[in-house]
Amino acid sequence: MIFDLWHKTKYSYENGASFCHNITTLKPKSFKGQKLLEYNLEISPKPTDISERLDFFGNTVTRFSIQQNHKELIVTAKSKVVRDYNLQVENENLIEGKKVTVAAALKLMKGIQPDIIEARQFVLASPLIFDMSAEIKEYALLSFKPERSLYDASYELMQRIFTDFDFVAGFTNIATPLKEVMKEKKGVCQDFAQIAIACIRAMGLPARYVSGYIETVAPEGKVKLIGTDASHAWFSVFIPTFGWVDFDPTNNQIPKNQHIIVAHGRDYYDVPPLKGVIYSTGNNKMDVSVDLRPAVDLNQQQQQSQQQQQSQQQQQNQYY
């Protein structure tokens, strides 16, 4: 399936900004099962300096600065991505991976293979996931029994978070501690992903944060509005002898073709879509709009247009 992705961020400054320096993490990744076909980053006003590179985690980041007074900053990322989950997962290998128990995974994580060494960094505390409280460990232990499949334990953890926590937009922000989320059982997708990661790391196993997007489908009979989607987040667990497996606790599902991956990190701090510093005074406002939908090629557009015209003509003929 081919998707068109559009992510627009607009900052409005009450008294203008004389300078800003920013980092974007908006360019979708390419890997087996997902391929970036097109990407364009539009920035207004035009940056004084701009550069692109890969960060430590293999994500594409763009750095830019604007060294002139401006009343607003608009950053729009446009992408075309092809997604095929069947290519991402080799079924026979996944079947074997599902047999790896929690105890076996802990033992295998002591190995010196390159993928094991690389995964170990995701066992450590990170900027937003550092409080491995007794409450989090107790919550994790309900699922992560030593002789249980690591895949099954992670799947159950995803289901439990989906059931036990309420999605409440605006209840948390990036500075809300995980213990507050655990206590209130409320939050948004980034909170649920980070709770899961904290649980898995509390068991001594690697888990990473995944940022991206998910396709939303309009209710039957309704037209999907442009710009109503949002950035999304979920978590990924490393299963020794197989690799990384993604889980979406917000929607209680294994991410497949409707999930577009942009970046991986230790937590949200590593991969925000846009962050930076500005020189400004007064109130500042940020508006974000995202749209992800299946791409429609030119032939399909022409066919749809012809069908609409024929339908309109038929309706008109009924009145004569």
Side-chain angles (χ1 to χ4, degrees):
M1 182 174 289
I2 299 177
F3 287 98
D4 281 326
L5 171 62
W6 178 78
H7 185 133
K8 179 180 179 181
T9 306
K10 179 180 178 180
Y11 287 96
S12 301
Y13 309 116
E14 181 181 16
N15 297 319
S18 59
F19 173 87
C20 71
H21 185 73
N22 303 275
I23 299 176
T24 72
T25 308
L26 292 166
K27 189 174 184 177
K29 283 189 166 184
S30 287
F31 54 87
K32 191 175 182 180
Q34 177 175 299
K35 184 178 180 181
L36 180 63
L37 302 178
E38 298 175 11
Y39 178 74
N40 184 47
L41 185 64
E42 300 174 358
I43 303 171
S44 178
K46 184 178 180 180
T48 307
D49 298 298
I50 186 169
S51 63
E52 182 180 283
R53 68 174 181 84
L54 292 180
D55 69 6
F56 179 80
F57 301 103
N59 309 311
T60 300
V61 297
T62 301
R63 298 172 178 266
F64 69 91
S65 63
I66 298 173
Q67 301 175 21
Q68 64 188 64
N69 192 69
H70 52 286
K71 294 288 291 184
E72 63 182 23
L73 169 65
I74 302 175
V75 179
T76 306
K78 299 178 180 178
S79 310
K80 189 180 291 291
V81 182
V82 60
R83 191 80 169 91
D84 189 345
Y85 179 75
N86 292 328
L87 294 178
Q88 182 180 344
V89 179
E90 298 178 15
N91 291 330
E92 292 182 2
N93 289 343
L94 181 57
I95 291 172
E96 291 302 313
K98 289 181 177 180
K99 297 178 181 179
V100 177
T101 65
V102 172
L106 287 169
K107 185 176 180 180
L108 289 167
M109 283 304 299
K110 297 178 181 179
I112 58 173
Q113 297 91 333
D115 61 335
I116 296 291
I117 294 174
E118 195 270 340
R120 279 197 199 126
Q121 65 183 308
F122 295 101
V123 181
L124 305 175
S126 55
L128 299 178
I129 306 175
F130 55 85
D131 181 16
M132 307 302 179
S133 66
E135 184 182 7
I136 286 177
K137 191 167 185 178
E138 289 174 6
Y139 190 81
L141 282 169
L142 293 175
S143 297
F144 289 82
K145 307 298 183 182
E147 298 309 315
R148 190 175 191 191
S149 158
L150 175 55
Y151 178 93
D152 290 342
S154 301
Y155 195 98
E156 183 182 272
L157 176 65
M158 173 189 72
Q159 292 181 315
R160 288 172 54 215
I161 292 174
F162 175 78
T163 302
D164 296 342
F165 290 73
D166 294 325
F167 188 96
V168 181
F171 178 76
T172 59
N173 57 48
I174 191 62
T176 303
L178 287 184
K179 61 181 180 181
E180 184 71 15
V181 180
M182 281 295 296
K183 176 184 176 182
E184 300 295 335
K185 296 293 189 293
K186 298 177 183 178
V188 292
C189 58
Q190 74 178 39
D191 300 307
F192 303 156
Q194 292 181 153
I195 286 291
I197 293 168
C199 286
I200 296 163
R201 290 181 186 171
M203 297 293 96
L205 295 165
R208 65 185 181 182
Y209 185 94
V210 189
S211 72
Y213 306 92
I214 182 172
E215 180 196 14
T216 58
V217 180
E220 186 175 353
K222 301 290 184 179
V223 177
K224 180 179 176 181
L225 301 178
I226 296 176
T228 56
D229 294 336
S231 297
H232 193 44
W234 55 99
F235 71 96
S236 188
V237 177
F238 182 77
I239 301 179
T241 73
F242 174 72
W244 292 96
V245 181
D246 291 3
F247 300 86
D248 182 353
T250 304
N251 296 289
N252 193 30
Q253 62 180 251
I254 299 296
K256 295 185 178 179
N257 286 340
Q258 276 64 45
H259 288 70
I260 303 297
I261 296 175
V262 172
H264 297 104
R266 296 165 297 171
D267 55 40
Y268 174 84
Y269 184 86
D270 290 331
V271 292
L274 181 62
K275 63 181 179 181
V277 295
I278 61 169
Y279 290 147
S280 180
T281 60
N283 296 324
N284 301 322
K285 180 183 178 183
M286 180 182 73
D287 295 301
V288 178
S289 53
V290 175
D291 190 64
L292 175 65
R293 64 183 64 214
V296 179
D297 62 31
L298 184 59
N299 290 332
Q300 287 178 297
Q301 289 178 336
Q302 291 175 342
Q303 290 175 358
Q304 290 177 351
S305 177
Q306 291 174 355
Q307 291 173 352
Q308 290 176 350
Q309 290 176 359
Q310 291 173 356
S311 177
Q312 292 174 354
Q313 185 63 46
Q314 291 173 355
Q315 291 177 354
Q316 290 176 357
N317 290 339
Q318 294 177 357
Y319 294 98
Y320 294 95

